[in-house]
Amino acid sequence: MSQYVLKIDCSDEKGLIYKISNVIFNNDLNIEKNSEFVDEESQKFFFRARVVGNLDIDEMRKQLSAVLPNDAQVYLGVRRAKNVVLMATKESHCLGDILLKYQSGELNANIQAVISNHDSLRALTEKFDIPYFYVSAENLERSAHEEKILTLLAEFNPDFVVLAKYMRILSADFVKPYEGKIINIHHSFLPAFIGANPYKQAHKRGVKIIGATAHFVNNDLDEGPIIAQDVIHVNHEYSWRDMQKAGRNVEKVVLSNAIDLAFEDRIFVNNNKTIIF
């Protein structure tokens, strides 16, 4: 008996739950868990189920397509560990947290490699017996540097690329072949601060809340569909270094939550928003 994940999004219409359930029943499968949602604005239906049994995936896809609206997007696959490449620069907190969870078996993932534009995190990565690739950006145009990384990624063909505080802006040409597969983490403040040392800027403004946002990367910097967010309260007693430490802790938690959702196939993207089951 195998575990499968079924995801469907399509135009909403009457009887969809019945039709989907009937196909599942006719294939002698058992539903362990299912969730559904209708977005009233777009009139789109979203469905996810975890099912158990033995099936012919292609045949079941055909059966579902025959009873669903013409615009239906159907994903059906064996629940498995996702192949993942991590990208980092110099900050170790997010990368280290992911590597520790990986070592302890907490991630439904196979980390294939770490790629960085600095050599700073090699020793940390190699403690976990994971290949580390240093791709220097020195004296290279962005396009040339990205081409080297894309060549590496093509060798691994990962399901997801996780930017564990990778601090270089990615071009549209880089993002395009991995659309919906690149996950980023960044600080998010109220108000927002950009540029060097945002925590020092936040401290000078006397902010009361700091936080982090994990999102899919698209062509607009930090404006891709949001997967997970969290905030914590701070006060006047925090130095900017205290804020930085607290903020990095939030970043670790938010990124960890986001990649868990992605690796378990629990995310739908609807325009620039996410539906998460």
Side-chain angles (χ1 to χ4, degrees):
M1 300 272 280
S2 299
Q3 270 195 350
Y4 302 86
V5 174
L6 170 63
K7 293 171 65 181
I8 297 169
D9 70 86
C10 61
S11 299
D12 187 36
E13 63 178 39
K14 291 181 180 180
L16 287 174
I17 298 294
Y18 169 78
K19 293 175 182 177
I20 295 166
S21 300
N22 196 45
V23 171
I24 292 172
F25 177 79
N26 288 337
N27 280 273
D28 199 26
L29 299 172
N30 183 48
I31 298 176
E32 288 192 331
K33 183 177 177 61
N34 74 281
S35 304
E36 62 274 341
F37 171 72
V38 175
D39 180 71
E40 297 293 345
E41 291 183 5
S42 63
Q43 284 298 297
K44 289 200 71 175
F45 169 83
F46 299 88
F47 175 92
R48 178 189 184 273
R50 188 173 68 236
V51 298
V52 176
N54 295 301
L55 61 86
D56 182 327
I57 290 177
D58 290 336
E59 176 58 29
M60 185 165 167
R61 283 201 192 109
K62 289 179 183 177
Q63 292 176 27
L64 287 165
S65 297
V67 299
L68 293 171
N70 291 334
D71 65 347
Q73 300 292 317
V74 178
Y75 167 83
L76 176 62
V78 177
R79 182 176 180 270
R80 62 174 178 83
K82 299 297 190 290
N83 292 322
V84 180
V85 171
L86 308 177
M87 293 178 62
T89 295
K90 290 183 176 181
E91 295 183 64
S92 63
H93 58 289
C94 285
L95 177 65
D97 185 66
I98 293 171
L99 293 177
L100 283 169
K101 286 183 169 65
Y102 176 67
Q103 186 183 58
S104 63
E106 295 177 46
L107 290 181
N108 185 29
N110 168 40
I111 298 180
Q112 299 169 293
V114 174
I115 299 173
S116 178
N117 58 319
H118 288 270
D119 211 25
S120 312
L121 300 174
R122 179 183 295 278
L124 170 63
T125 301
E126 291 181 347
K127 286 178 181 178
F128 296 87
D129 296 321
I130 293 172
Y132 185 91
F133 296 91
Y134 166 44
V135 183
S136 174
E138 190 174 354
N139 300 321
L140 285 179
E141 295 288 338
R142 183 171 70 167
S143 59
H145 182 245
E146 289 188 345
E147 186 60 38
K148 287 189 172 186
I149 296 175
L150 285 170
T151 299
L152 262 177
L153 288 175
E155 293 179 13
F156 292 105
N157 190 28
D159 296 299
F160 291 99
V161 177
V162 177
L163 307 184
K165 300 301 288 185
Y166 182 73
M167 302 307 291
R168 288 177 64 84
I169 297 172
L170 300 176
S171 71
D173 288 338
F174 187 99
V175 173
K176 186 176 181 180
Y178 294 97
E179 186 176 357
K181 295 182 177 182
I182 305 176
I183 299 172
N184 186 36
I185 183 71
H186 70 84
H187 61 83
S188 57
F189 294 112
L190 298 175
F193 299 100
I194 60 174
N197 207 326
Y199 291 100
K200 187 175 285 188
Q201 296 179 57
H203 180 258
K204 287 182 178 179
R205 284 293 305 274
V207 302
K208 307 306 179 190
I209 295 175
I210 60 176
T213 298
H215 64 96
F216 287 116
V217 176
N218 61 13
N219 293 337
D220 297 316
L221 178 64
D222 295 337
E223 293 184 14
I226 293 170
I227 304 169
Q229 293 179 296
D230 202 358
V231 296
I232 58 171
H233 291 270
V234 296
N235 60 40
H236 60 275
E237 295 182 352
Y238 282 66
S239 69
W240 75 264
R241 292 189 184 279
D242 292 333
M243 286 187 178
Q244 183 183 61
K245 181 179 179 181
R248 285 176 172 173
N249 285 335
V250 179
E251 289 172 1
K252 288 190 297 185
V253 171
V254 171
L255 181 59
S256 179
N257 290 340
I259 62 177
D260 280 345
L261 293 169
F263 298 168
E264 292 290 344
D265 298 307
R266 292 177 57 191
I267 306 170
F268 291 85
V269 175
N270 183 27
N271 296 320
N272 203 43
K273 298 193 297 185
T274 56
I275 291 91
I276 296 173
F277 293 132

